Amino acid sequence: MVGRRGYSPPVTTTPTATHRIFDPLLPRVQAEGMLRLCERYGRYGMYSQEQSEAEIGQGLFQRHDAIANFLRTGGRFGRKGDVATLGPRTNYFRESYAYGEDVRISGVEPFLHYEGFVEAARAIHARPVIEPAIVYANILLPGQELAVHTDVPEFRGANRKIYPQWLMVVMHHSGLFEEYRMPIATAVGWFNDCRGGEFAYYPEGPDGPAATIAARANTGIILDTDTVFHGVDPVAADLPLPPLRPGMHLAWEDGRWVVRDGDIALAEYGWGDIRFSISWKAYCFADEDERRAWKEHQDDLDLERILARLVDDLRARGRLDGERPGPTALALLLIDEYVRFPRPAAA
Ligand SMILES: [Fe+2]
């Protein structure tokens, strides 16, 4: 199932993660079918960074960790001074094609149930029970990129639906909640050839060098994106970035991709201009008992237990003495202490 055409290391084991590259990914007809499926789905909304409503870290962005790092360092290439275009550059387009068995567009099934992903997911976490959770499409336009980050992990009793995303990220990077974590494997597949938009990742951890793979038709990768830092380099950086705002959408109309602000067409693109990927995420369980404990909410964490454990650890590390700081100060301290980003290549 795993092709090796023109690639030397399709399987790499590192101290932090195993990833596998798929080249080719699907039989050719199925791969082309994914482009038609993308067109047939037709309308893609913007995925923008919303502020967290939770009391802990109120006013911070959901992904305060990744945004603050991007602003501080200028991203993977250390380009500073373009704060004004941060929103348009990083608010890309996303729609979900399947949630578990809830298939929202026909034709996605070969990707949702792709045995190559299931097999590789078992190997990544050494866990045999694989449950596909979501399949979604990301579309980036010329000039867009995705800041280096790790994905939002999930724990028994704690996930992005109830707590801020940065807190889930802090929990994982702290290593204090491993027995509650639901290991997830993420696969990404590309179905058109993109200019730029390389997938950049840090297979040896944040202190190691970045590896990149081109976003090339009918190729893919699977890895633990909750643990391995990754991002997307700028797409077709020679083309201008349209003045995107949250609420706009991208639509397939008469053989072109059109960016729309309501009725107004803002920009038009062909398949050769944009970066289209489909992501697949699956829970990886050790056994049926573990799957049951998760589904039936046995042994769930709650916010006070999470914060108490983190605060105890901050004290043990000498980062905190005296009273527990207020919610926002505590949030910033937690992000600063536990989420250690790779340094920009230029630094
Ligand atoms: Fe990601």
Side-chain angles (χ1 to χ4, degrees):
M1 281 295 200
V2 182
R4 297 177 180 213
R5 191 187 67 204
Y7 254 108
S8 46
V11 181
T12 306
T13 304
T14 73
T16 47
T18 304
H19 63 273
R20 191 174 291 180
I21 287 167
F22 299 86
D23 180 9
L25 177 56
L26 296 176
R28 193 177 55 83
V29 172
Q30 279 180 8
E32 287 169 6
M34 301 313 284
L35 291 182
R36 304 293 85 78
L37 179 148
C38 176
E39 295 167 355
R40 200 153 38 87
Y41 196 91
R43 189 185 196 278
Y44 294 80
M46 281 181 89
Y47 184 74
S48 41
Q49 290 282 351
E50 273 137 38
Q51 292 207 336
S52 168
E53 296 297 317
E55 198 199 335
I56 172 82
Q58 204 162 42
L60 267 55
F61 288 104
Q62 282 284 1
R63 287 312 305 269
H64 206 86
D65 56 311
I67 292 177
N69 178 67
F70 193 60
L71 290 175
R72 187 168 57 238
T73 62
R76 206 166 84 76
F77 302 107
R79 289 167 315 173
K80 302 232 174 124
D82 35 13
V83 175
T85 63
L86 181 73
R89 269 191 299 140
T90 57
N91 291 345
Y92 52 97
F93 297 83
R94 170 180 294 194
E95 294 294 341
S96 295
Y97 289 162
Y99 273 110
E101 289 305 307
D102 173 16
V103 169
R104 297 180 169 194
I105 180 160
S106 62
V108 76
E109 296 87 349
F111 193 86
L112 175 64
H113 299 295
Y114 179 47
E115 193 54 36
F117 289 162
V118 173
E119 262 172 45
R122 286 193 184 109
I124 278 173
H125 290 294
R127 286 160 166 260
V129 181
I130 306 301
E131 182 171 316
I134 187 169
V135 170
Y136 57 91
N138 283 345
I139 300 177
L140 275 71
L141 302 181
Q144 290 197 301
E145 65 188 297
L146 227 144
V148 169
H149 65 285
T150 50
D151 288 354
V152 183
E154 184 168 335
F155 302 83
R156 283 201 305 279
N159 60 54
R160 65 195 295 159
K161 289 188 205 127
I162 48 177
Y163 298 134
Q165 296 176 20
W166 61 261
L167 180 61
M168 303 300 97
V169 173
V170 162
M171 286 171 68
H172 179 37
H173 286 279
S174 78
L176 298 170
F177 304 92
E178 276 310 289
E179 72 265 40
Y180 295 94
R181 183 163 85 101
M182 295 315 323
I184 291 169
T186 300
V188 184
W190 296 277
F191 297 97
N192 66 323
D193 290 323
C194 178
R195 276 196 305 123
E198 290 87 355
F199 181 81
Y201 62 111
Y202 294 79
E204 295 167 36
D207 297 326
T212 55
I213 56 175
R216 216 158 33 73
N218 201 20
T219 62
I221 186 171
I222 188 167
L223 70 168
D224 173 2
T225 51
D226 295 354
T227 302
V228 178
F229 281 92
H230 60 281
V232 175
D233 288 348
V235 174
D238 55 313
L239 292 180
L241 176 71
L244 297 170
R245 286 189 296 103
M248 292 183 181
H249 69 273
L250 182 69
W252 179 251
E253 297 174 9
D254 305 320
R256 302 284 290 167
W257 287 106
V258 182
V259 180
R260 286 203 171 271
D261 184 3
D263 290 339
I264 302 161
L266 219 68
E268 281 191 20
Y269 301 102
W271 266 118
D273 302 320
I274 68 168
R275 184 186 193 274
F276 167 58
S277 62
I278 309 183
S279 294
W280 174 99
K281 283 181 181 282
Y283 296 112
C284 305
F285 297 102
D287 51 36
E288 287 300 334
D289 283 352
E290 191 181 66
R291 192 204 309 237
R292 203 171 308 117
W294 172 72
K295 285 221 155 120
E296 296 174 0
H297 296 278
Q298 305 161 4
D299 193 27
D300 270 7
L301 283 163
D302 61 54
L303 185 60
E304 193 39 51
R305 262 168 87 193
I306 295 165
L307 292 180
R309 196 152 176 184
L310 286 166
V311 165
D312 283 350
D313 193 58
L314 285 175
R315 292 190 201 286
R317 289 163 169 250
R319 284 300 304 266
L320 186 63
D321 47 29
E323 292 286 289
R324 188 195 282 196
T328 302
L330 178 59
L332 293 171
L333 178 58
L334 289 169
I335 292 168
D336 183 60
E337 177 64 15
Y338 295 110
V339 190
R340 200 161 47 86
F341 281 87
R343 286 230 278 264

